[in-house]
Amino acid sequence: MGNLKVLAMFLLLLVSIAKAHPGAVFDVHKYGAKDDGKSDISKALCSAFKEACACPTPSKVLIPKGTFMLAQVSLEGPYKAAVTIVVRGTLKALTDPKKMKVDGSWVTFQRIDQLTLSGGGTFHSQGPKAWDTCGLKTYCKQLPIVSCNNLTFQRFTISAPEHSINTDGIHIGRSNEINITDSNITTGDDCVSIGDGSQQITITKVTCGPGHGISVGSLGKYKNEEPIIGVTVRNCTFFNTMNGVRIKTWPNSFRGSILDMHFEDIIMNNVSSPVIIDQVYCPHNKCNAKLPSLVRISNVSFKNIRGTSSNPVAMKLACSRGIPCQGVEIADIDIGYTGKEACAAVSECNTDCDFNCKI
Ligand SMILES: *[C@@H]1O[C@H](CO)[C@@H](O)[C@H](O)[C@H]1NC(C)=O
Ligand SMILES: *[C@@H]1O[C@H](CO)[C@@H](O)[C@H](O)[C@H]1NC(C)=O
Ligand SMILES: *[C@@H]1O[C@H](CO)[C@@H](O)[C@H](O)[C@H]1NC(C)=O
Ligand SMILES: *[C@@H]1O[C@H](CO)[C@@H](O)[C@H](O)[C@H]1NC(C)=O
Ligand SMILES: *[C@@H]1O[C@H](CO)[C@@H](O)[C@H](O)[C@H]1NC(C)=O
Ligand SMILES: *[C@@H]1O[C@H](CO)[C@@H](O)[C@H](O)[C@H]1NC(C)=O
């Protein structure tokens, strides 16, 4: 049973990802939706979805071309046979915060097994309004939760401006077997962030940037976090991002573990910190960095990573002094420095790592 909550704080472009199912089509127009750019279609969408759920054979909910306003909705299963939601038009979020619940969600899918979302349409969250409200700190206490199994994002575009605060492209947590492929992410925070309880995450053919890169963690700040196991990032390209591929854990932390992380065939273009393990991650300097992180990092590989760094330190491996990283493998790193000084990129690593750093 998948439990998927999607919040689009940004613009999502979805392109068809699956073969069409035969069977009934529930067009939101038939349920009173108007694409006049004013009327909220949430009731129409829920009615269409409800009928699709009751349908004994695979069916589709169709949002045709046009621009539709959509308030917060929760589309909940179970349903009798697979449902495909085909978004051809643009769905725009309402911008009046009074009409929104404070849980930070916009479109939520829950208790659904076998969902396909396709059609090449757009989820337009009217992000700047949310960033303004977030700026006021009244509104964004709860981040969206994504918890699901066996989910693929394919030919997906996520775009938010570089200056938008806290706009992770895709955040994954407590989820198994998530694939992200053939997708472009530009945003103000992590392109993909992988939190506790994530397992078997595969990211291929993704371009990231601007943004903060692809991050595993941070772990260690909270008690009882589940391990992160099995992350592969392959054949990806970064443009002008703050970080490239990164694993981060807090110092003075709770126990935790990060296992089986593989980063390979990656191109960095003018990335500030292309390769990092940071076990003294402490963004606002409000922690005791003298006490080591107790998150164990093991079986990590960085292979065939090429390109340029905008910072002379291309690779930084700061493992925990308490629990040294184990099984870190580094091969074929070729990263040049784009800065003015005529110096090649260097690497920094603390002595606890059981490998030799060499670029
Ligand atoms: C994942 O989903 C695919 C496509 O729906 C299905 O064929 C496969 O069996 C699923 N795998 C698991 C482990 O559920
Ligand atoms: C995700 O990718 C892995 C590795 O390529 C593959 O084995 C798995 O079936 C894929 N899962 C889905 C849901 O597409
Ligand atoms: C991602 O960007 C590349 C290069 O601009 C483009 O060729 C590709 O079609 C884009 N992918 C998607 C899913 O939009
Ligand atoms: C990704 O794979 C394709 C096909 O093998 C290759 O042409 C491309 O250069 C690769 N990109 C990176 C970043 O490795
Ligand atoms: C490279 O990155 C630096 C720092 O992020 C930025 O100031 C500079 O404009 C970038 N250069 C190019 C050519 O994009
Ligand atoms: C790490 O990888 C090695 C070699 O592939 C394997 O023998 C070992 O069991 C792995 N460690 C863990 C903790 O999985």
Side-chain angles (χ1 to χ4, degrees):
M1 170 90 58
N3 175 349
L4 157 65
K5 224 180 169 190
V6 168
L7 170 134
M9 293 281 288
F10 34 63
L11 178 91
L12 295 177
L13 258 175
L14 307 165
V15 182
S16 177
I17 59 172
K19 279 184 206 137
H21 287 287
V25 175
F26 301 94
D27 182 331
V28 290
H29 275 312
K30 294 205 187 95
Y31 299 85
K34 290 199 188 84
D35 62 342
D36 56 7
K38 288 186 299 207
S39 317
D40 168 25
I41 67 156
S42 52
K43 284 214 173 83
L45 176 59
C46 289
S47 306
F49 185 75
K50 216 169 167 181
E51 293 221 3
C53 286
C55 196
T57 53
S59 62
K60 281 184 191 168
V61 172
L62 175 66
I63 294 148
K65 287 220 156 92
T67 298
F68 300 88
M69 302 305 291
L70 179 64
Q72 269 172 307
V73 284
S74 177
L75 302 175
E76 292 191 22
Y79 38 59
K80 289 190 172 154
V83 173
T84 298
I85 299 179
V86 181
V87 180
R88 298 216 188 283
T90 296
L91 291 167
K92 275 191 165 180
L94 304 183
T95 52
D96 181 357
K98 289 192 202 95
K99 292 191 177 142
M100 303 284 275
K101 282 180 277 164
V102 196
D103 67 357
S105 69
W106 176 28
V107 182
T108 306
F109 299 100
Q110 278 193 100
R111 288 182 269 281
I112 288 178
D113 194 9
Q114 294 187 47
L115 173 75
T116 303
L117 180 59
S118 67
T122 301
F123 284 76
H124 191 320
S125 69
Q126 316 241 47
K129 287 281 173 188
W131 306 321
D132 291 349
T133 353
C134 282
L136 299 174
K137 293 196 171 158
T138 52
Y139 203 52
C140 306
K141 290 215 168 106
Q142 271 180 299
L143 290 169
I145 299 161
V146 179
S147 173
C148 28
N149 293 330
N150 198 7
L151 176 73
T152 297
F153 292 87
Q154 191 172 14
R155 295 201 291 283
F156 220 71
T157 300
I158 297 176
S159 99
E162 191 170 5
H163 64 263
S164 58
I165 299 164
N166 260 337
T167 50
D168 283 345
I170 298 175
H171 175 73
I172 302 167
R174 311 245 169 100
S175 299
N176 286 324
E177 216 187 309
I178 310 297
N179 288 358
I180 304 172
T181 188
D182 272 326
S183 298
N184 295 337
I185 304 177
T186 68
T187 191
D189 208 298
D190 293 338
C191 288
V192 181
S193 78
I194 299 166
D196 86 297
S198 301
Q199 298 201 14
Q200 306 315 326
I201 311 298
T202 307
I203 301 170
T204 52
K205 291 188 260 176
V206 167
T207 64
C208 165
H212 294 185
I214 295 180
S215 286
V216 176
S218 57
L219 279 199
K221 191 178 185 189
Y222 304 101
K223 216 175 170 173
N224 299 326
E225 283 171 331
E226 292 167 35
I228 302 177
I229 303 175
V231 173
T232 299
V233 177
R234 192 192 306 118
N235 199 227
C236 292
T237 306
F238 296 75
F239 290 99
N240 301 309
T241 48
M242 183 188 279
N243 308 290
V245 290
R246 173 167 66 148
I247 299 173
K248 55 185 180 176
T249 77
W250 292 74
N252 188 18
S253 75
F254 290 102
R255 285 184 184 277
S257 68
I258 294 177
L259 172 66
D260 243 333
M261 304 287 122
H262 304 284
F263 305 93
E264 58 196 57
D265 304 333
I266 291 171
I267 295 177
M268 303 286 176
N269 294 289
N270 193 40
V271 171
S272 304
S273 299
V275 175
I276 326 176
I277 294 179
D278 181 6
Q279 293 211 261
V280 283
Y281 176 73
C282 183
H284 303 291
N285 276 326
K286 285 187 184 150
C287 33
N288 184 351
K290 289 198 177 106
L291 293 175
S293 178
L294 297 182
V295 177
R296 179 182 299 278
I297 296 181
S298 39
N299 285 19
V300 179
S301 63
F302 297 102
K303 289 185 189 166
N304 189 23
I305 301 183
R306 292 165 288 139
T308 56
S309 163
S310 64
N311 178 321
V313 181
M315 184 159 82
K316 181 175 168 171
L317 303 160
C319 290
S320 168
R321 278 171 293 107
I323 304 182
C325 302
Q326 282 176 339
V328 178
E329 200 187 336
I330 295 177
D332 301 324
I333 309 287
D334 182 358
I335 299 172
Y337 174 46
T338 53
K340 283 186 196 125
E341 296 136 68
C343 91
V346 294
S347 63
E348 247 178 31
C349 48
N350 63 3
T351 50
D352 293 319
C353 318
D354 60 356
F355 57 86
N356 292 317
C357 291
K358 208 161 112 190
I359 293 190

